[in-house]
Amino acid sequence: MADATASFKDVPELFEVELGEALTARTESLSTFRELGPPDLCHIVKSTGRTGQRDIGSYHFVSGVDASSSASLAAYINSLTYSIEDNSAWFSKSTAWKVRNGCYCCFNAFSRVDIRVDVKIPGGVVAYVVDLRGERHEATPEIWQETYLSALLRAILYSDDPTYWLEAYRKLDPITTIEGELRFLQAAEALFMKGWQVGSDPEIQVATVVSNHLTAGVMKYFSSSGRCQPAANLFEKLAAREPEIASLLARSYIGMNEEVKAVQIMSAAMKHTPHSYTLLHVQSDFLRSKGRSDWALKLAKEAVNCAPSEFVTWEKLTELYIDTKDYESALLTLNSCPMFTFNGRDAHRALVPAKVHLPFQRQIGDILPEKTKSEDDVADPALLRLPAPGLRGTWARAYSLLTRLVSDIGWDELLKTRSVVFVMEEEYRMQKAQADIQKVATSHSAQDVNENAAVIHEDGSVTAGHATLADDDASTRGMSSPLSESESKPEFENGLNVSAIPIIRVSSESDTEREIAESTRNGIAEQDEQSMTLEKPVQAAAGEEPEPSQVSNSYQEAFSFTNKRLCERWLDNLFMVLYEDLRVWTIFRAEVAHFKTQHVAYRKTGIEWEILGDLGMRLHHKEEAKEAYQRCLDTSRYSQKPWAKLLEMYADEGDITRTIQAAIRVAAYQYADYTEMTYPTLIARCFFKLGQIHGHAKISFTLLSMGLPDPILKIMDSYLQYGKTFKVEGYDF
């Protein structure tokens, strides 16, 4: 086991059990990386130089390091030699540890290889390529260019992804100068036509020249700061070679408020690529922003015809049906969305470390609560079991459309619309029963006729017709036989189970139950109970064994399926997920209202307030969600999420003081997790949004007036310095 002097002062580390096991595990995992690959791996071997003293190995993950050459990667490893703890004195008996060698691994997402740089101190630098089979090859200039761009895209796209978390993951600024940005644009231009090789977002089924991680990275980097001019210049050159890139060019000009130019580009591009769904979507979004959803709807329909297998085209059409208040068509379109299996970001194989070293920056972390588990990290199991937070990819996007529907028309109206457009279970049963009765009646009448008919055989003999006719509907009956027990049980896509829905009690704490029990004497609890009732959705005809329900008189009439469709199983499951969310939210809001009338404090733990805030955001109750997040801040829970959510809300409202106060806490949390980058981050986006209205000078003066400690003031000022360097809108006033 390594002692304290073998650790870095300000760099996180995971110490190995067996020397070199992290490199071996990465080599074995290369074939599992599907898209951009995981963050870079930096492996370090430390030694005391004494005979008999065993060398130790440690590693950490990093993004944002310049991967354009072996020299830049070797320079990063060399910088770590200055970070090692030096606690030895002239009278100390302990031996100082030193970095003996290091290996930097960076995945090339274009050629699907891992480029590695071995550094020996003192000694030389060796760069080589490891392919998926673990074989070594020489690194060429083309490989280096691809590796450089791959590393930049990972740094940009993984910068503020809340779902992607690794222990000992250090994030540095990928681009810090104008020259660095120009190199990024040059590399993107050179490799743009190969961009589809790095994959795309999980909502895109087939990566194309305009829909991939490369275009997503370029658009995120420039649009987050409102500087679309460099992106427009890049796409202008590329559109001459590939007309479909005109959709990205038009989007960039719209971001620059050059709408006339964007419309001209879209008009000219439609003559060359009339079947480009990305181009149709840009036009549709533009018309939608101008309040012409009816025109945008026609373009969205055409986009579906051009790319019927893509989720995003059906999603856009559903959104526009909701805009035009055609809720039945919206539900039918949502039911037609093609759903894809979710593939998350590439990650390393998890190893069990011998020791974890996570140094804490005291100067910044003093404003944060203690990172220890407390009672505020304990939540009601009913809240923890809510299935909606586990949705990913297309499932999460489809669920957000469903929540938008229920926000617009309400739960009862949504259930009515659902029963109008989809075949419900009871209707299916009655139709099947009527069909069976007709079959029996038809077969009996046919048998009576055949009993009296004469049968003429091949030999000319005639006999009375008592033979049984063959069943012409045998194959049809076989097709419509009941499902097996395993098939009839509804199950969630994406691993969520709805067959056994838990009974949710939001207030499971004994104190809360006693308070409600006391209030029942006054007859108030009965009123709350009525307000908390929520109709459970009846299962659609996707499953065969629903719960028995009463048949209404309207169902007794003759029924036809010609104007209805079968509801997809996944959508039926999403209705159950929505029901759980609405039930918990209804109970929560009724409890809050009840406690207010009783003038009693309503208490929840920190994590419960955070979950309820997320629930409010999912259901589009922004003000109630904001209140829940603010209540979470009053607890001692160590969590960045409520601060980050409030930061976005305050920035949207244009509240400078509160935005800066929230940004300070978010920055402290980020630096505590070794996110030492300025852009692109959530704080930078919010500051630049405020800067467009108030100017950066006002933000700077507000920061100075708060009397912040120097380390924190320096961090907050770095976001404004980025704006000044790259001339973000608002930097000069």
Side-chain angles (χ1 to χ4, degrees):
M1 183 67 67
D3 58 21
T5 59
S7 304
F8 291 126
K9 287 183 290 188
D10 52 2
V11 178
E13 288 181 284
L14 303 174
F15 287 88
E16 295 177 312
V17 177
E18 296 291 335
L19 189 64
E21 64 180 359
L23 294 175
T24 304
R26 183 177 174 96
T27 303
E28 293 172 351
S29 303
L30 285 178
S31 58
T32 64
F33 300 156
R34 296 177 303 274
E35 295 185 345
L36 275 178
D40 303 345
L41 173 71
C42 184
H43 181 266
I44 300 294
V45 177
K46 298 170 188 172
S47 173
T48 59
R50 295 176 57 185
T51 57
Q53 181 75 49
R54 181 169 167 262
D55 293 349
I56 59 172
S58 69
Y59 61 95
H60 65 273
F61 307 110
V62 62
S63 61
V65 178
D66 182 4
S68 59
S69 66
S70 59
S72 58
L73 297 182
Y76 175 77
I77 293 178
N78 187 59
S79 69
L80 297 177
T81 61
Y82 303 103
S83 299
I84 202 162
E85 292 280 7
D86 187 13
N87 296 328
S88 60
W90 65 272
F91 54 83
S92 175
K93 294 182 180 179
S94 61
T95 307
W97 291 83
K98 294 184 178 179
V99 175
R100 184 165 65 84
N101 58 51
C103 181
Y104 193 99
C105 310
C106 187
F107 186 70
N108 181 333
F110 292 89
S111 299
R112 324 301 302 168
V113 295
D114 204 33
I115 195 159
R116 298 187 181 179
V117 176
D118 282 339
V119 180
K120 298 189 185 308
I121 302 174
V125 176
V126 179
Y128 56 92
V129 171
V130 178
D131 63 16
L132 301 183
R133 296 185 298 275
E135 298 174 357
R136 290 195 180 194
H137 304 277
E138 185 181 351
T140 62
E142 291 77 15
I143 292 288
W144 276 114
Q145 186 181 47
E146 292 174 355
T147 307
Y148 165 71
L149 189 56
S150 299
L152 276 178
L153 292 177
R154 282 191 294 270
I156 293 169
L157 295 176
Y158 295 0
S159 62
D160 52 359
D161 187 349
T163 63
Y164 192 79
W165 183 86
L166 283 174
E167 199 166 36
Y169 181 16
R170 193 180 182 199
K171 299 178 184 178
L172 305 176
D173 268 315
I175 299 172
T176 56
T177 61
I178 295 290
E179 293 74 19
E181 186 177 279
L182 289 174
R183 286 175 58 203
F184 169 48
L185 289 169
Q186 289 168 359
E189 182 182 356
L191 298 171
F192 196 88
M193 296 306 171
K194 296 167 69 175
W196 60 271
Q197 296 177 7
V198 301
S200 61
D201 290 335
E203 295 82 17
I204 305 293
Q205 187 178 28
V206 180
T208 63
V209 173
V210 294
S211 300
N212 55 62
H213 286 310
L214 174 54
T215 57
V218 171
M219 292 302 293
K220 178 182 178 181
Y221 179 81
F222 289 105
S223 61
S224 294
S225 59
R227 297 185 307 117
C228 292
Q229 181 68 59
N233 294 340
L234 170 67
F235 297 138
E236 189 92 54
K237 289 183 280 187
L238 293 167
R241 285 188 280 164
E242 178 57 59
E244 198 172 352
I245 298 174
S247 61
L248 298 172
L249 179 59
R251 199 181 296 276
S252 300
Y253 274 116
I254 291 173
M256 295 164 55
N257 294 321
E258 295 279 355
E259 294 180 347
V260 175
K261 181 74 172 173
V263 170
Q264 292 171 347
I265 290 168
M266 288 187 285
S267 175
M270 282 303 294
K271 298 174 183 176
H272 296 94
T273 55
H275 300 296
S276 169
Y277 78 88
T278 53
L279 186 59
L280 290 166
H281 277 184
V282 175
Q283 296 181 72
S284 179
D285 291 338
F286 177 71
L287 289 170
R288 195 177 171 192
S289 68
K290 300 301 179 184
R292 295 310 304 258
S293 296
D294 51 340
W295 290 3
L297 181 64
K298 297 177 182 179
L299 291 168
K301 288 179 180 178
E302 184 62 28
V304 168
N305 293 332
C306 295
S309 61
E310 286 292 347
F311 172 83
V312 289
T313 56
W314 293 93
E315 179 190 36
K316 184 73 67 180
L317 183 57
T318 306
E319 290 174 348
L320 286 162
Y321 273 130
I322 297 174
D323 287 348
T324 55
K325 303 189 184 306
D326 189 352
Y327 301 116
E328 291 183 11
S329 297
L331 209 50
L332 285 170
T333 307
L334 180 60
N335 188 58
S336 302
C337 287
M339 308 302 284
F340 314 137
T341 303
F342 175 72
N343 294 318
R345 305 269 194 206
D346 293 326
H348 289 90
R349 196 178 76 195
L351 298 174
V352 180
K355 174 190 169 186
V356 178
H357 174 63
L358 301 174
F360 187 68
Q361 298 189 21
R362 178 59 56 191
Q363 291 177 322
I364 301 168
D366 278 341
I367 62 175
L368 301 178
E370 289 295 325
K371 197 174 183 178
T372 55
K373 195 170 180 65
S374 64
E375 60 181 13
D376 282 304
D377 295 308
V378 179
D380 190 310
L383 289 173
L384 295 174
R385 282 199 302 265
L386 283 175
L391 297 173
R392 295 284 184 271
T394 52
W395 317 102
R397 296 268 284 263
Y399 184 70
S400 67
L401 291 173
L402 201 57
T403 56
R404 191 180 162 206
L405 268 171
V406 79
S407 175
D408 280 11
I409 62 176
W411 176 246
D412 293 335
E413 192 63 32
L414 180 61
L415 289 185
K416 288 178 185 176
T417 307
R418 177 174 175 253
S419 62
V420 168
V421 298
F422 295 135
V423 178
M424 305 313 291
E425 184 66 35
E426 201 57 46
E427 296 171 341
Y428 179 73
R429 279 183 166 184
M430 290 191 61
Q431 182 73 4
K432 190 176 178 184
Q434 290 177 3
D436 290 343
I437 292 171
Q438 290 176 359
K439 280 183 182 178
V440 172
T442 305
S443 62
H444 281 311
S445 61
Q447 187 174 354
D448 293 341
V449 171
N450 289 326
E451 283 180 354
N452 299 324
V455 179
I456 302 175
H457 298 279
E458 290 181 356
D459 57 1
S461 58
V462 180
T463 57
H466 296 286
T468 303
L469 289 175
D471 190 355
D472 291 337
D473 294 330
S475 61
T476 308
R477 190 174 295 118
M479 292 283 287
S480 59
S481 61
L483 296 176
S484 64
E485 185 179 352
S486 62
E487 291 174 329
S488 65
K489 292 180 181 178
E491 57 184 37
F492 268 136
E493 304 284 351
N494 215 15
L496 298 170
N497 189 5
V498 229
S499 56
I501 299 170
I503 297 174
I504 293 183
R505 292 184 299 114
V506 176
S507 298
S508 61
E509 299 294 332
S510 57
D511 294 339
T512 309
E513 289 177 354
R514 280 198 298 271
E515 289 164 353
I516 293 179
E518 290 173 3
S519 66
T520 54
R521 298 168 190 166
N522 300 325
I524 299 175
E526 286 84 354
Q527 298 175 10
D528 288 342
E529 204 170 304
Q530 292 174 4
S531 68
M532 287 189 288
T533 56
L534 192 71
E535 183 184 352
K536 187 175 180 179
V538 181
Q539 191 171 359
E544 282 289 328
E545 297 296 333
E547 296 179 6
S549 57
Q550 298 295 327
V551 182
S552 62
N553 293 331
S554 61
Y555 288 159
Q556 303 295 338
E557 302 172 0
F559 176 75
S560 173
F561 289 147
T562 55
N563 59 341
K564 287 196 174 187
R565 295 185 189 176
L566 289 174
C567 181
E568 294 287 344
R569 175 67 58 84
W570 63 264
L571 182 55
D572 210 27
N573 291 338
L574 286 186
F575 269 99
M576 301 306 294
V577 175
L578 180 59
Y579 169 71
E580 290 303 319
D581 272 358
L582 287 171
R583 186 154 69 96
V584 170
W585 183 256
T586 306
I587 294 171
F588 162 62
R589 294 311 301 171
E591 284 183 346
V592 169
H594 166 65
F595 276 81
K596 281 183 178 178
T597 59
Q598 294 298 301
H599 304 288
V600 179
Y602 186 62
R603 298 186 183 90
K604 289 286 181 188
T605 65
I607 190 172
E608 286 176 338
W609 283 119
E610 188 176 306
I611 293 172
L612 290 168
D614 293 344
L615 178 58
M617 291 298 290
R618 283 201 302 273
L619 297 177
H620 304 281
H621 297 295
K622 188 174 179 180
E623 288 303 316
E624 292 87 348
K626 182 179 175 182
E627 181 185 355
Y629 287 132
Q630 289 170 338
R631 294 289 298 272
C632 180
L633 303 183
D634 297 333
T635 66
S636 59
R637 173 169 164 75
Y638 185 93
S639 176
Q640 177 185 338
K641 181 186 281 187
W643 284 110
K645 295 290 187 182
L646 288 172
L647 172 61
E648 290 184 276
M649 292 179 186
Y650 293 148
D652 290 338
E653 295 168 3
D655 190 332
I656 290 185
T657 305
R658 288 187 175 182
T659 300
I660 292 175
Q661 289 171 345
I664 291 168
R665 296 305 192 286
V666 173
Y669 275 110
Q670 288 182 349
Y671 270 75
D673 289 334
Y674 313 104
T675 301
E676 304 166 33
M677 65 186 303
T678 303
Y679 183 84
T681 56
L682 173 63
I683 299 174
R685 284 201 302 274
C686 293
F687 271 20
F688 296 157
K689 187 182 294 184
L690 287 176
Q692 291 176 353
I693 304 170
H694 303 286
H696 289 194
K698 188 173 182 179
I699 300 174
S700 180
F701 293 146
T702 308
L703 278 170
L704 289 171
S705 67
M706 290 182 172
L708 300 172
D710 286 341
I712 296 176
L713 182 61
K714 185 178 179 182
I715 291 172
M716 302 312 297
D717 192 55
S718 67
Y719 299 101
L720 300 178
Q721 287 300 321
Y722 177 92
K724 185 177 180 181
T725 302
F726 291 92
K727 298 183 179 179
V728 176
E729 184 179 354
Y731 81 98
D732 52 353
F733 68 89

